[in-house]
Amino acid sequence: MTSDQSIFERRVDPVLQAGGVLAMVFIVDLFGLIITGANAENVSSRFPWLCAASFMLFFALFNAVLSAAAANPAKYWGRSIYSFMGLAVGAGLLAWAFSGLTISEAGSYRWIYLVVSVGYLVFLGMIALIKNVVNFAQREEWTRPRLKNRQRED
């Protein structure tokens, strides 16, 4: 890869993306635990669930955008969906471990998980549609529109 290559042209495996995001969830949860232990700030007990949902949305957005550069879209989308499911489970387990709350006890985070998951599928669908429209437009021969021979009635 060259240094002047756009991030949107790079091909990054979705499993690596999900692993990196899960590591970020762990680090932010750890900082939240340290801040709570130091009594520097009053951090909510639901903070780990907030981190999990936020980083899932982060993954959803960037994974969908990066899917536009995939050489084999079907394989990439399959790996992406499995990676998202693994991230959702992993981030949920981390949130449960750090907060001591199940997703049902965390209030509205069950619905937030559902909205982020549906939103992820919508993002993937939008990128697929946009990619198909662009590919069609690039294949199409653009010539001058044909003028119909109409006789004017005056």
Side-chain angles (χ1 to χ4, degrees):
M1 285 190 250
T2 62
S3 62
D4 52 327
Q5 185 181 24
S6 170
I7 190 169
F8 301 112
E9 295 172 349
R10 294 184 181 179
R11 292 184 175 97
V12 182
D13 188 32
V15 176
L16 292 176
Q17 293 172 28
V21 170
L22 191 58
M24 289 190 291
V25 169
F26 178 74
I27 291 168
V28 172
D29 282 345
L30 199 57
F31 279 135
L33 186 64
I34 291 169
I35 290 171
T36 302
N39 288 330
E41 283 291 320
N42 187 12
V43 178
S44 170
S45 61
R46 297 187 305 175
F47 177 74
W49 286 104
L50 173 70
C51 289
S54 300
F55 279 104
M56 284 174 50
L57 184 61
F58 175 78
F59 174 84
L61 180 65
F62 280 98
N63 181 261
V65 170
L66 292 175
S67 72
N72 184 353
K75 181 180 176 184
Y76 187 91
W77 292 330
R79 291 179 63 82
S80 293
I81 291 171
Y82 289 131
S83 297
F84 182 80
M85 291 181 345
L87 175 64
V89 169
L93 288 174
L94 282 174
W96 172 62
F98 277 93
S99 71
L101 301 172
T102 65
I103 196 165
S104 298
E105 297 168 341
S108 61
Y109 285 98
R110 181 189 315 177
W111 289 106
I112 291 172
Y113 252 61
L114 179 67
V115 168
V116 169
S117 300
V118 170
Y120 174 61
L121 296 175
V122 169
F123 287 156
L124 279 180
M126 285 173 40
I127 295 297
L129 180 66
I130 291 169
K131 188 173 180 178
N132 285 339
V133 167
V134 168
N135 286 341
F136 176 76
Q138 287 176 341
R139 283 193 317 261
E140 193 67 27
E141 288 185 25
W142 293 95
T143 58
R144 229 176 41 175
R146 295 183 196 180
L147 298 175
K148 293 183 178 181
N149 292 328
R150 294 186 185 171
Q151 294 179 354
R152 290 183 75 187
E153 295 180 18
D154 293 321

